[in-house]
């Protein structure tokens, strides 16, 4: 039996680790994880990498090393399609940044397949966006953004000698968690750059404009949370434009529906969620309007019991007009059930149905604060608001739980200690 998992993100890597322990390490099945990158970085940390609060080189996990220690095989590859009739996935050639072909186009056979490739932003085909704006969809993009940010700060620090009113303008489209969290991280980065020698650049020289088409920030959260987030960001100095739809992008500017030009040295598009278009073209898989693969309660796809889909790329209809939201907690819960169902299927036992539990949502505004709503046992089934230190601790614990799922409690605890040591011995911001 060969089980192939495509995508080693929040859901896929937890699943590969689980199946590696349950089946792969015991010789009961061959578990293969395929990812387009060599390392894993938990996606909710991307805005921290972009701002420099987190060093991806330190925090990233090598798939190969992790696979060796956890009973599965890692293969580098960019998934492009599925040949369902022959039970094979198609992998596009892997080419490095210099154009060197690391691996050719190839096929990988499977008995059971799990698609866990996550999602990206949705630019809604807004003209100019793909050409002029950046996206925060993976570690490489986050690192590229970070490098540009440093260079802009260095350049600004020099220019301020002759032009004291000059500003660094960063425009972010999308007032969801990514846009909001990155905005706060940028103000933190400015303060730290100033501490580390770029002294001329003050808060007044950083202009972060957050453009949101809807009437409030973080629309997936309760209204009072949106308002609290807006107020905290405004205090930091962000220029928040609600009900502002971007009609097109040009070099160094977003143009709004009203024709206003929002000039920017750096432009980031962080709006919308969409699974890559090629998924909708895979013959025989049903998808919804954002290309999520429709799954049954067992998390098997609606058209093929040998293919599961989990995480952001899975479309699970909750039956009340809502879909399971594309969040790390959903990916974690789906990985957990898909793992159990695959093992149950091998033992000939009936599969279980997925039940999504919403444990709440939190928005982290860098080291300043975190705001959100928690649900579940602590609140006796009710939701309750959290803010400040407690909210920040719960937010951080989400990542710690992901580390526990990957490494177990002992190693995850050692990683916490290593992080604390790094916090003491390394600069508080990645400066290069
Ligand atoms: C900046 C940011 C902040 C966020 N903050 C939060 C938060 O606070 N709380 C929360 O719950 N959620 C948050 N999210 C959402 C959360 O990150 C996702 O819901 C979660 O990571 C989805 O997990 P996944 O396993 O489905 O996909 P991912 O974690 O995105 O992993 C997908 C994996 O598939 C690989 N892959 C993609 N395409 C291919 C291909 N063609 N071939 C091979 N491999 C491929 C990728 O390299 C990646 O490793 C945030 C997202 C972002 C971008």
């Amino acid at each position: 039996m060969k089980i192939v998992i495509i995508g080693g993100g929040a859901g896929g890597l937890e699943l590969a680790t689980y199946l590696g322990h349950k089946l792969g390490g015991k010789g009961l099945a061959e578990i293969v994880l395929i990812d387009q990158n060599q390392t894993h970085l938990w996606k909710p940390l991307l805005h921290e990498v972009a701002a420099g609060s987190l060093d991806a080189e330190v925090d990233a996990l090598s798939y190969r090393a992790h696979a060796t220690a956890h009973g599965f095989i890692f293969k580098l590859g960019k998934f492009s399609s599925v040949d369902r009739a022959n039970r094979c996935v198609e992998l596009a050639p892997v080419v490095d940044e210099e154009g060197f072909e690391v691996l050719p186009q190839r096929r990988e056979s499977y008995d059971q397949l799990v698609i866990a490739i996550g999602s990206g932003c949705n630019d809604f085909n807004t003209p100019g966006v793909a050409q002029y704006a950046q996206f925060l969809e993976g570690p490489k993009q986050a690192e590229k953004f970070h490098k540009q940010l440093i260079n802009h700060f260095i350049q600004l620090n020099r220019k301020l000698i002759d032009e004291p009113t000059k500003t660094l303008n960063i425009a972010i489209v999308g007032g969801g968690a990514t846009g909001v969290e990155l905005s706060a991280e940028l103000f933190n980065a400015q303060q730290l750059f100033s501490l580390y020698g770029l002294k001329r650049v003050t808060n007044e020289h950083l202009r972060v404009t957050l453009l949101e088409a809807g009437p409030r920030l973080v629309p997936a959260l309760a209204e009072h949370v949106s308002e609290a987030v807006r107020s905290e960001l405004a205090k930091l100095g962000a220029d928040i434009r609600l009900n502002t739809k971007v009609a097109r992008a040009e070099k160094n500017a977003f143009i709004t529906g009203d024709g206003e030009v929002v000039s920017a040295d750096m432009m980031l598009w962080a709006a919308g969620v969409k699974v890559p278009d090629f998924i909708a073209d895979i013959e025989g898989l049903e998808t919804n309007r954002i290309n999520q693969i429709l799954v049954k309660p067992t998390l098997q796809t609606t058209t093929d019991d040998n293919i599961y889909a989990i995480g952001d790329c899975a479309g699970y209809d909750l039956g009340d007009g809502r879909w399971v939201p594309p969040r790390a907690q959903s990916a974690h819960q789906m990985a957990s059930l898909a793992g159990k169902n695959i093992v149950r299927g091998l033992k000939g036992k009936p599969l279980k149905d997925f039940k999504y539990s919403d444990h709440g949502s939190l928005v982290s505004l860098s080291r300043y604060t975190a705001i959100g709503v928690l649900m579940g046992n602590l609140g006796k089934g009710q939701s309750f608001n959290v803010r400040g230190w407690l909210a920040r601790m719960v937010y951080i614990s989400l990542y710690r739980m992901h580390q526990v799922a990957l490494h177990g409690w002992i190693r995850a605890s050692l990683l916490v200690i290593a992080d604390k040591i790094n916090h003491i011995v390394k600069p508080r911001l990645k400066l290069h």
Side-chain angles (χ1 to χ4, degrees):
M1 168 64 68
K2 181 173 173 185
I3 299 158
V4 173
I5 301 158
I6 313 266
L13 187 56
E14 288 189 12
L15 177 62
T17 308
Y18 175 81
L19 292 178
H21 282 281
K22 283 275 170 189
L23 304 172
K26 295 177 182 162
L28 298 173
E30 185 185 355
I31 312 297
V32 177
L33 173 70
I34 297 173
D35 200 284
Q36 59 192 357
N37 296 319
Q38 310 246 29
T39 55
H40 162 79
L41 187 81
W42 200 56
K43 206 172 165 187
L45 298 175
L46 284 184
H47 62 284
E48 295 189 26
V49 175
S53 326
L54 190 107
D55 186 344
E57 283 160 27
V58 174
D59 265 71
L61 173 71
S62 157
Y63 285 122
R64 245 171 246 292
H66 191 73
T68 305
H70 294 275
F72 66 92
I73 297 162
F74 170 69
K75 294 191 179 178
L76 182 66
K78 193 165 168 60
F79 168 58
S80 57
S81 193
V82 185
D83 174 353
R84 287 175 51 223
N86 294 303
R87 290 203 198 161
C88 275
V89 287
E90 319 237 345
L91 303 175
V94 178
V95 180
D96 75 7
E97 274 130 31
E98 272 80 48
F100 173 74
E101 187 177 279
V102 184
L103 290 167
Q105 182 172 348
R106 62 206 204 278
R107 287 159 76 89
E108 184 78 33
S109 65
Y110 66 83
D111 296 306
Q112 301 223 316
L113 176 67
V114 184
I115 304 178
I117 61 162
S119 64
C121 294
N122 191 347
D123 70 4
F124 307 102
N125 296 322
T126 309
V129 171
Q131 192 179 354
Y132 297 113
Q134 303 193 45
F135 299 87
L136 209 53
E137 293 173 340
K140 284 182 191 146
Q141 291 164 326
E143 280 172 26
K144 184 177 163 201
F145 185 95
H146 176 243
K147 285 204 161 64
Q148 289 181 6
L149 183 69
I150 297 170
N151 290 343
H152 275 291
F153 270 122
I154 293 171
Q155 186 195 54
L156 178 64
N157 194 55
R158 178 73 187 80
K159 282 191 172 171
L160 284 171
I161 298 172
D162 302 320
E163 302 169 69
T165 56
K166 183 132 189 72
T167 53
L168 167 60
N169 300 330
I170 303 178
I172 301 171
V173 179
T178 304
V180 159
E181 292 182 343
L182 178 64
S183 300
E185 285 295 345
L186 291 173
F187 286 102
N188 178 48
Q190 174 275 309
Q191 288 183 351
L192 292 176
F193 274 124
S194 173
L195 189 78
Y196 287 115
L198 303 181
K199 293 196 187 306
R200 281 179 219 107
V201 183
T202 69
N203 180 280
E204 284 163 23
H205 301 114
L206 175 64
R207 192 174 170 81
V208 176
T209 308
L210 188 54
L211 303 161
E212 165 57 42
R216 60 191 180 95
L217 297 178
V218 281
L221 301 189
E223 254 179 66
H224 67 274
V225 176
S226 299
E227 180 44 32
V229 168
R230 193 206 57 74
S231 155
E232 289 292 338
L233 270 188
K235 267 192 244 164
L236 288 175
D239 176 10
I240 300 156
R241 315 270 185 92
L242 301 174
N243 299 306
T244 305
K245 198 167 172 190
V246 168
R248 64 177 206 279
E250 292 177 354
K251 189 168 165 39
N252 294 123
F254 285 117
I255 318 296
T256 72
D258 296 338
E260 190 193 344
V261 177
V262 179
S263 301
D265 302 293
M266 295 181 72
M267 300 161 65
L268 187 92
W269 185 275
V273 173
K274 191 177 159 194
V275 178
D277 288 333
F278 77 87
I279 287 290
D281 297 332
I282 296 176
E283 208 183 316
L285 292 184
E286 284 188 296
T287 50
N288 62 14
R289 72 181 167 82
I290 58 164
N291 300 336
Q292 286 176 313
I293 304 163
L294 302 192
V295 290
K296 299 193 287 192
T298 54
L299 300 180
Q300 291 160 304
T301 55
T302 48
T303 51
D304 191 332
D305 281 353
N306 293 314
I307 305 181
Y308 287 75
I310 62 167
D312 285 7
C313 72
Y316 187 101
D317 191 345
L318 286 167
D320 54 3
R322 293 177 305 136
W323 299 85
V324 169
R327 294 203 196 132
Q329 60 173 312
S330 317
H332 167 74
Q333 290 173 29
M334 286 182 166
S336 175
L337 186 87
K340 288 188 180 111
N341 273 351
I342 288 170
V343 174
R344 289 179 76 85
L346 289 187
K347 291 180 179 165
K349 292 185 179 172
L351 306 192
K352 294 204 163 178
D353 285 354
F354 180 67
K355 289 198 177 45
Y356 173 64
S357 349
D358 186 351
H359 297 304
S361 292
L362 292 162
V363 177
S364 163
L365 300 180
S366 188
R367 66 190 159 87
Y368 305 106
T369 190
I371 305 167
V373 175
L374 294 181
M375 297 162 125
N377 296 337
L378 276 173
K380 297 194 173 73
Q382 301 294 312
S383 66
F384 63 99
N385 304 326
V386 278
R387 195 167 177 160
W389 179 83
L390 177 64
R392 179 106 187 108
M393 288 304 107
V394 178
Y395 182 86
I396 292 169
S397 72
L398 279 176
Y399 179 44
R400 297 303 178 199
M401 292 315 291
H402 176 62
Q403 288 182 316
V404 169
L406 297 183
H407 307 290
W409 282 100
I410 295 175
R411 220 179 135 100
S413 306
L414 292 174
L415 286 170
V416 174
I417 296 169
D419 283 351
K420 297 274 172 227
I421 294 170
N422 276 335
H423 194 71
I424 297 167
V425 299
K426 287 184 175 263
R428 284 156 61 194
L429 194 75
K430 188 165 187 244
L431 299 164
H432 57 275

